[in-house]
Amino acid sequence: MTNTYIRREMTLEALAAHVISAAACFAETCARDGPIPTGAERRTMIKTLERLTTANVIDERDDRFIDKIGELLVQMANDRRAGYGDRVLKADTYEDLLFDDQLSLMRSRILQWQSFATARRLLKARIAARTLIGVFD
C-alpha cells in the first residue's frame, strides 16, 4: 500500500494577494506598536512602511528593514524571557501557557513577521523564477 500526496501550489496571483494583505497588516502593526529601529534602518522606516501599505511589497530596499524588525522583535521577547524569542521561531509555541500578556503579544508579533517575511521571500523567488524561465523561452 502506498500513500499518494498531491501538492497544490498557490497561484502566483493568490500568493501576491496574500503578501500584499500581510504587508499592509505588518506595516500597520509596526507603525502603531513599533519596534522602531535605530541607525540607518530608522531613516528608511517611513518609506518602507509606505511602500508596504501601497502594495509595493517586493522592493529590495526594504529587505534589511524587514529583517531588522524581525531581529528586534525576537530580541525583545528574549529580553522578556531568556531565549523565548528564538524558541518562537524554532518550535510550535501555540500551546505555551504564558502568564505574561506582553510576552504573548510579542509571540504574536514574531509569528506575524515570520509569516509575512516567508511569504514575501517565496513571492520574490517565484517572480525571479518566472523571469528566468522567460529568458530561456
Side-chain angles (χ1 to χ4, degrees):
M1 177 177 191
T2 61
N3 293 327
T4 34
Y5 173 74
I6 298 172
R7 181 173 176 227
R8 303 214 186 274
E9 189 168 285
M10 188 183 291
T11 66
L12 186 59
E13 293 78 12
L15 178 60
H18 170 72
V19 172
I20 288 167
S21 175
C25 290
F26 173 75
E28 179 184 321
T29 304
C30 282
R32 183 184 61 237
D33 301 327
I36 298 172
T38 57
E41 287 88 11
R42 184 179 185 143
R43 289 189 290 270
T44 64
M45 181 176 180
I46 293 171
K47 291 179 181 177
T48 295
L49 295 180
E50 184 178 297
R51 280 191 290 272
L52 294 178
T53 58
T54 58
N56 186 359
V57 296
I58 59 172
D59 194 313
E60 290 183 9
R61 294 175 290 181
D62 301 329
D63 293 349
R64 278 193 12 218
F65 173 79
I66 292 168
D67 290 343
K68 184 65 174 179
I69 290 296
E71 291 170 14
L72 290 172
L73 290 169
V74 168
Q75 186 58 51
M76 287 168 53
N78 284 341
D79 291 346
R80 188 95 178 170
R81 181 180 291 170
Y84 192 72
D86 294 313
R87 177 175 153 65
V88 171
L89 291 177
K90 295 175 184 169
D92 182 2
T93 59
Y94 285 107
E95 294 185 8
D96 287 0
L97 293 175
L98 301 175
F99 299 102
D100 181 339
D101 290 339
Q102 283 298 106
L103 191 59
S104 181
L105 179 63
M106 289 175 195
R107 175 180 62 192
S108 295
R109 295 281 316 281
I110 291 168
L111 293 173
Q112 177 193 39
W113 165 80
Q114 183 182 41
S115 175
F116 162 62
T118 300
R120 182 176 178 268
R121 277 193 296 277
L122 179 59
L123 177 62
K124 288 175 72 171
R126 289 193 49 198
I127 290 171
R130 284 231 173 141
T131 303
L132 180 64
I133 290 169
V135 169
F136 294 112
D137 278 347

